């Protein structure tokens, strides 16, 4: 078979291949994400979404059992990206104290970005928190793991005290993060959110040091 003929055969096979179930699911998810960002989660019905994609509502229900399931998937993707950014800070080579300080700042930056640049997406996360969707405990679990790593690193390097039980320390730090990860609390304190985060981070770090 000549090279050009082989290439054409591969292209034809790719063109004729039916999308996998995961590919079809992702296509719906991308379309729903775009639709929600334009029109908002609360004002969109599954019928609206189906019309915008050009499929039946029944087709969407094959992959997502409800509008909430779609909202969970979209908000979950958003929160995973934020957690990835924070985890990147936690895995850097800086001191544990500096990494913790940066975590507070990054959470505020991401929260403000959502509020001002992706308001419709912010609203979906707001609903997720208010209605206690499973994506929220998962996100908080990732943040707890990151905090535990930073506390452990700080103790092993001699930066942080070792008397307080680690679980107690991590639980307390998570409580101080709530104003900066909860969309409602963050929205209520936007005017001084950076200063508040810096002050809380400083207080936490002083309590962690010897």
């Amino acid at each position: 078979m000549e090279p050009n003929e082989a290439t054409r055969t591969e292209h034809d096979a790719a063109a004729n291949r039916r999308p996998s179930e995961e590919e079809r699911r992702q296509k719906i998810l991308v379309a729903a994400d775009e639709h929600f960002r334009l029109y908002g989660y609360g004002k969109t019905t599954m019928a609206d979404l189906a019309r915008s994609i050009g499929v039946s509502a029944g087709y969407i229900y094959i992959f997502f059992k409800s509008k909430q399931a779609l909202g969970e998937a979209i908000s979950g993707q958003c929160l995973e990206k934020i957690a990835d950014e924070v985890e990147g800070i936690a895995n850097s080579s800086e001191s544990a104290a500096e990494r913790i300080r940066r975590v507070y700042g990054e959470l505020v930056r991401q929260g403000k970005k959502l509020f001002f640049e992706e308001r419709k997406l912010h609203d979906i996360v707001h609903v997720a928190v208010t209605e206690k969707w499973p994506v929220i405990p998962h996100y908080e679990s990732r943040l707890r793991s990151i905090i535990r790593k930073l506390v452990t690193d700080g103790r092993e390097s001699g930066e942080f005290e070792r008397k307080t039980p680690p679980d107690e320390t991590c639980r307390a730090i998570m409580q101080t993060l709530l104003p900066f990860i909860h969309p409602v609390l963050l929205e209520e304190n936007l005017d001084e959110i950076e200063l508040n985060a810096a002050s809380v981070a400083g207080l936490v770090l002083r309590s962690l040091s010897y």
Side-chain angles (χ1 to χ4, degrees), residues 151-160 162:
V151 169
T152 300
D153 287 354
R155 291 186 173 200
E156 290 178 351
S157 68
E159 294 176 68
F160 301 156
R162 301 183 183 182

Side-chain angles (χ1 to χ4, degrees), residues 17-30:
R17 182 180 66 84
R18 294 183 63 185
S20 68
E21 183 172 318
E22 180 57 26
E23 287 172 335
R24 286 182 286 165
R25 182 181 184 278
Q26 284 300 317
K27 186 176 181 180
I28 292 172
L29 195 57
V30 169

Side-chain angles (χ1 to χ4, degrees), residues 72-142:
E72 283 192 46
I74 291 169
S75 58
Q77 287 182 339
C78 169
L79 295 174
E80 284 296 302
K81 288 178 182 178
I82 295 175
D84 287 344
E85 292 293 331
V86 175
E87 191 167 47
I89 292 172
N91 290 331
S92 71
S93 59
E94 297 172 303
S95 69
E98 182 57 28
R99 281 179 280 162
I100 285 180
R101 195 183 302 277
R102 286 185 59 202
V103 163
Y104 281 87
E106 182 63 22
L107 288 171
V108 167
R109 188 182 76 83
Q110 293 288 344
K112 290 188 70 174
K113 181 180 178 182
L114 260 184
F115 183 80
F116 288 111
E117 299 177 22
E118 299 285 356
R119 186 56 187 268
K120 295 292 192 301
L121 188 53
H122 171 276
D123 292 344
I124 298 177
V125 176
H126 186 169
V127 174
V129 171
T130 303
E131 298 186 0
K132 300 179 180 179
W133 291 355
V135 294
I136 300 303
H138 177 74
Y139 174 58
E140 292 175 347
S141 178
R142 278 200 69 185

Side-chain angles (χ1 to χ4, degrees), residues 1-7 9:
M1 184 181 292
E2 295 296 324
N4 287 343
E5 184 180 349
T7 301
T9 301

Side-chain angles (χ1 to χ4, degrees), residues 24-93:
R24 286 182 286 165
R25 182 181 184 278
Q26 284 300 317
K27 186 176 181 180
I28 292 172
L29 195 57
V30 169
D33 187 13
E34 293 175 353
H35 193 86
F36 288 153
R37 286 171 190 258
L38 282 174
Y39 302 105
Y41 174 81
K43 295 181 179 180
T44 299
T45 66
M46 291 291 263
D48 294 333
L49 186 57
R51 280 193 295 271
S52 72
I53 299 175
V55 299
S56 69
Y59 179 80
I60 298 178
Y61 281 117
I62 294 173
F63 302 95
F64 297 94
K65 64 180 182 180
S66 64
K67 187 176 80 167
Q68 178 179 322
L70 266 169
E72 283 192 46
I74 291 169
S75 58
Q77 287 182 339
C78 169
L79 295 174
E80 284 296 302
K81 288 178 182 178
I82 295 175
D84 287 344
E85 292 293 331
V86 175
E87 191 167 47
I89 292 172
N91 290 331
S92 71
S93 59

